[in-house]
Amino acid sequence: MTIGDSKRPAILFVCLGNICRSPLAEGAARHMAAQSGWQGHIDSAATGAWHVGNPPDPRSIAIAAEHRVDISGQKARQLTRDDFAIFDLIIAMDNSNLQNLEKLRGSGNNHNDRAKLALLLDFALGHKGQDVPDPYYGGDDGFAHVWDLISRAMPAVLDSVSSSSNCD
Ligand code: 4NP
């Protein structure tokens, strides 16, 4: 199955539970895409299965709503092997997620794979190599910090995938 193509690239944001960070990344990306006219497919997923089918954490819903972004309709899902063939770019929220993605993709060359793997904060000036910290066990200020980091990275994420996939 193909969702992305050279005119409508596909981006998947990934974290551990798909209830805190990656739903915010999905929401921020959708919001920015709608504002800028960026055309493509945006989704998010978890490496873990604990929260499959659940809505985002209420603290993520609240911080997004503060920025006029509604993520309340999202539902957590777990990444599947097919996602590596469906998405052009799969973006991990932290280095541990990125390592998990590399393991899941495996070393075998699946000829259907198209996804490039990346770390979200490699797209944010001054934050290269850094993690978007997991806010799950912390307080509300952790969610505000996550939103801030995600917002800094997102313009470069959308720019990168629209320009690079046009060269395919
Ligand atoms: P997320 O946060 O990966 O940003 O969605 C977490 C949510 C739940 C858990 C860990 C991280 N958990 O252990 O259930």
Side-chain angles (χ1 to χ4, degrees):
M1 176 165 78
T2 299
I3 290 176
D5 59 40
S6 61
K7 293 203 180 73
R8 294 176 56 85
I11 307 176
L12 181 68
F13 297 98
V14 171
C15 63
L16 186 58
N18 193 210
I19 56 166
C20 297
R21 292 165 293 176
S22 59
L24 284 174
E26 179 184 336
R30 286 181 184 276
H31 184 68
M32 203 164 283
Q35 284 185 325
S36 69
W38 188 91
Q39 301 270 321
H41 180 74
I42 296 165
D43 196 5
S44 64
T47 56
W50 306 284
H51 300 282
V52 167
N54 291 346
D57 186 287
R59 297 164 295 176
S60 281
I61 293 175
I63 193 66
E66 274 184 37
H67 297 273
R68 296 185 175 75
V69 176
D70 181 7
I71 64 166
S72 62
Q74 292 186 30
K75 276 199 175 19
R77 74 164 177 95
Q78 191 173 25
L79 184 98
T80 71
R81 187 67 190 70
D82 287 347
D83 288 322
F84 294 103
I86 290 169
F87 289 88
D88 299 284
L89 182 58
I90 301 182
I91 302 187
M93 295 296 113
D94 65 28
N95 282 282
S96 164
N97 306 148
L98 184 57
Q99 281 172 9
N100 284 333
L101 284 170
E102 281 161 356
K103 266 190 230 146
L104 287 164
R105 183 172 62 175
S107 52
N109 238 347
N110 182 334
H111 70 276
N112 289 323
D113 284 357
R114 57 195 271 128
K116 286 182 192 148
L117 305 185
L119 184 69
L120 183 70
L121 290 186
D122 280 353
F123 293 91
L125 216 59
H127 294 274
K128 197 168 164 48
Q130 294 176 12
D131 294 337
V132 176
D134 181 350
Y136 187 59
Y137 293 106
D140 290 351
D141 54 345
F143 285 77
H145 182 51
V146 165
W147 177 269
D148 183 50
L149 291 171
I150 286 171
S151 302
R152 286 181 201 206
M154 208 50 76
V157 168
L158 297 185
D159 275 359
S160 79
V161 86
S162 51
S163 48
S164 68
S165 59
N166 286 339
C167 303
D168 285 348

